[in-house]
Amino acid sequence: MIQRVSAQDSPGAAASSAGAAQDAGSARAEDGQSAQLVRLLLIASVALITLAAFEALAVATVMPVVVEELGGLHLYTVAAGAPLAAQLVATAVSGAWSDARGPRGSLLLGILLFCAGLLVAGLAPTMAVLAVGRAVQGFGAGLLMVPLYVLVGSMVPAARQPRFFAAFAAAWVVPGLVGPAIAGTVAEAASWRWVFLAVPVLTLAASTVLLPLLHHVRSVPRGPADADGRRRTRTLLLAATGAGLAAAALQVAGSDGGTTGVVLAVAGVAGLAVTVRQLLPAGTLRLRAGVPSAVACRGLLNAAFITAETFLPLLLVRAHDWSARDAGLVLTVSSITWAAGSAVQGRVRTPLRRALLLWLGPLLLAVGTFVSAAAALPGAAPWWVVAGWTVAGAGMGLIFPALSVLVLQATPRAEHGTVSSALQISDGLGAALGLALAGAVFTALVGTGGREAYLAGLVLAGGLGLLALWAGARATPPELE
C-alpha cells in the first residue's frame, strides 16, 4: 500500500519529492534542448553537403562555357582535377586536426577557404587563376567535411546516426536532378561566374546555423598520446600531403609539354611511389585478392567515371554545338541511374549474386563509357553520350556501395576506420590521377582541331573501367569464386 505523504507529515520527504520532480523537469528540458540541437545540426550539415554537391555538378556543367570565355583549354583538366588533389591533402589534415583539437578550427577554416576559393574562381580573369581558386576551394571542402562527421559522433545519439548518414547520401540526389539544369540556365541567361559566386553566400547562410552548435560539443579530455599512434598519424598526414602534391604535379605536367612538364611528371611519379603504399592496404597495387583489390577497384572506378564525366559536356558543347544546359542532361541522367543502381544492389541478398555485382558494375561502366566515346567519331550523333552515360551511371550505382559493404564485412570492426579512410583516399587519388593522365593525352591531341582529343580521353576512361572490372573480379571473396 502506497501512503500519500503531505508536507505537514514529512517535510524531508516532500522536499525530496520536489527535488526529484525538479530534476525530472530539468532532464526533460535538457533532452528537448538536445533534440533541438540535433535537428539544427541535421539541417545545417545537409545544407552544406547539398551546396558542395551542387557546386561539383554545376561546375562540371558550365566548364565548357568557362573555357570558351577564358581560353586556356590545355588547363581544362587541371581546373577540374585541382580540387580533388587539394581535398586529398585537406582530408588527412582535418582528420588529424579534429582528433587533436576538436572540429571547430578545421570547420571554420574550411568554410572560409571554400568560400574564398569560389570567389577567386568566380572572378578569375584566366583559366590559371580559376584553377588556383578551385584548388583553394577543394582544400576548404576537405577541411569542412570531416568535422561534420565528427559533430555527428559527438552530438547525435547512436540510434539516430544511421539516419544522419542516409541524409548525407540523399543530399546528393536533388543537386544531381536539378543542379546541371540550373547551372546551364544561369550560364546562358546571365554568366557562368554566378555559378561560383552564389554558392559562398548560401554557404555562409548555412554556417550561421551550424557554427553556434560548436559551443555544445563536449570536449573530451585527452591523455598522453600513444607514441605509435602519433607516429602513425604523422606518417599518414605526410603521405597524404605528398600524394596530393604528386597528383597536382602530374596534372600540371599534363598541360605542359615542355621541360617543366617533364620535371613535374618525374617528381609526381616519384612522390606517388613513396607515398601511396603508406595510404592503401598492402597488396592494393598488386591487386591482391579480397580487400586490397576492392580498394583498388574503387580508385579505378572513380578514375574512369570522373575522367569521362569531365570530357562529356565539353564534347557536347564544342563538337556538337549543344548548350551548356542541354549538355548537363547527361549528368542528370547518370545521377538518376546511379541512384537506381544503388537501390537495386540494396535488394541483392545472396552472397553469390552480390559477388556478381563486382563484375557487372564495372562492366556496365566500361561499356557505357565506350558507347559515349562513339559520339566523338566523325559524323556520329551526340545521343550516343546520353545512351552510354545512362548505362555507366547504373554500373556505378551497382558497384560503388557493394564494394563498401564487402570491405566492411571482410574487415574486423576495430579496423573499420582505417579501411574506410583507405576507400576515401583511393576514390580521391584515382580521380585525380585519371584526370592527370587523360589531361596529358588530351593536351597532346587537342591542337589537331578534330575530335581525336575527346575520343582519346574517353577511350582512356573506358580502359580504366576495364581495369576496374579486373580488380572487381579479384575482389570476389575466394569462397565464392
Side-chain angles (χ1 to χ4, degrees):
M1 175 179 171
I2 300 176
Q3 183 178 1
R4 182 177 179 179
V5 179
S6 67
Q8 290 83 358
D9 293 331
S10 176
S16 177
S17 297
Q22 184 177 2
D23 289 344
S26 298
R28 285 193 296 271
E30 184 175 347
D31 289 343
Q33 182 186 27
S34 177
Q36 178 68 15
L37 293 175
V38 168
R39 281 193 294 270
L40 291 174
L41 175 61
L42 178 62
I43 293 170
S45 55
V46 168
L48 284 176
I49 293 174
T50 300
L51 288 170
F54 172 82
E55 183 275 335
L57 293 165
V59 170
T61 301
V62 302
M63 277 299 290
V65 181
V66 174
V67 77
E68 188 72 27
E69 180 176 323
L70 299 183
L73 184 59
H74 65 290
L75 292 175
Y76 184 82
T77 55
V78 177
L84 299 171
Q87 192 165 347
L88 177 66
V89 179
T91 299
V93 170
S94 182
W97 188 352
S98 297
D99 283 344
R101 300 191 177 184
R104 186 194 308 267
S106 179
L107 183 62
L108 287 171
L109 184 58
I111 291 171
L112 291 175
L113 290 180
F114 180 71
C115 294
L118 288 170
L119 290 174
V120 170
L123 300 173
T126 65
M127 277 291 283
V129 175
L130 185 135
V132 171
R134 297 216 69 209
V136 174
Q137 164 230 314
F139 196 87
L143 288 181
L144 74 86
M145 285 301 171
V146 173
L148 294 182
Y149 287 81
V150 175
L151 287 172
V152 172
S154 300
M155 299 179 61
V156 181
R160 294 194 60 184
Q161 289 181 10
R163 294 183 182 180
F164 262 73
F165 293 121
F168 286 4
W172 281 80
V173 174
V174 173
L177 295 176
V178 303
I182 292 175
T185 301
V186 169
E188 292 172 10
S191 169
W192 59 265
R193 296 183 184 276
W194 288 111
V195 173
F196 291 93
L197 297 177
V199 174
V201 177
L202 298 174
T203 300
L204 292 176
S207 301
T208 60
V209 178
L210 182 62
L211 295 181
L213 299 180
L214 296 176
H215 297 294
H216 299 276
V217 178
R218 297 175 182 174
S219 59
V220 180
R222 301 181 184 275
D226 175 73
D228 289 338
R230 288 199 306 270
R231 185 162 50 250
R232 284 194 298 270
T233 299
R234 187 164 54 248
T235 299
L236 177 63
L237 187 58
L238 291 174
T241 302
L245 292 175
L250 288 172
Q251 288 171 356
V252 176
S255 67
D256 187 331
T259 304
T260 301
V262 173
V263 172
L264 287 174
V266 171
V269 171
L272 289 176
V274 173
T275 58
V276 167
R277 294 180 184 275
Q278 304 291 331
L279 299 171
L280 303 176
T284 298
L285 300 181
R286 293 183 287 105
L287 295 185
R288 196 174 74 193
V291 170
S293 285
V295 173
C297 185
R298 278 278 290 259
L300 289 166
L301 288 167
N302 232 28
F305 189 83
I306 297 298
T307 296
E309 196 167 67
T310 299
F311 283 110
L312 289 177
L314 189 68
L315 169 65
L316 291 172
V317 170
R318 294 178 70 90
H320 291 285
D321 297 321
W322 280 28
S323 67
R325 182 179 59 187
D326 292 341
L329 172 67
V330 297
L331 306 184
T332 298
V333 166
S334 64
S335 297
I336 294 172
T337 54
W338 185 321
S342 297
V344 169
Q345 70 82 33
R347 294 177 177 273
V348 177
R349 304 297 184 190
T350 64
L352 284 174
R353 289 182 177 177
R354 290 203 67 80
L356 179 63
L357 297 176
L358 304 179
W359 296 69
L360 183 59
L363 179 61
L364 291 177
L365 172 62
V367 169
T369 304
F370 285 127
V371 169
S372 298
L377 295 172
W383 292 103
W384 284 108
V385 172
V386 179
W389 217 233
T390 299
V391 174
M396 288 293 282
L398 288 174
I399 181 65
F400 226 68
L403 286 171
S404 298
V405 172
L406 182 151
V407 165
L408 291 175
Q409 290 182 348
T411 306
R413 184 177 295 274
E415 299 175 15
H416 279 185
T418 300
V419 78
S420 296
S421 174
L423 284 173
Q424 298 298 318
I425 289 171
S426 184
D427 289 346
L429 194 57
L433 295 180
L435 281 172
L437 182 58
V441 174
F442 181 79
T443 301
L445 297 176
V446 74
T448 61
R451 299 181 183 179
E452 294 85 355
Y454 305 102
L455 181 63
L458 292 170
V459 169
L460 175 60
L464 292 171
L466 292 177
L467 288 177
L469 173 60
W470 181 24
R474 297 280 296 162
T476 304
E479 63 271 16
L480 298 180
E481 293 180 342

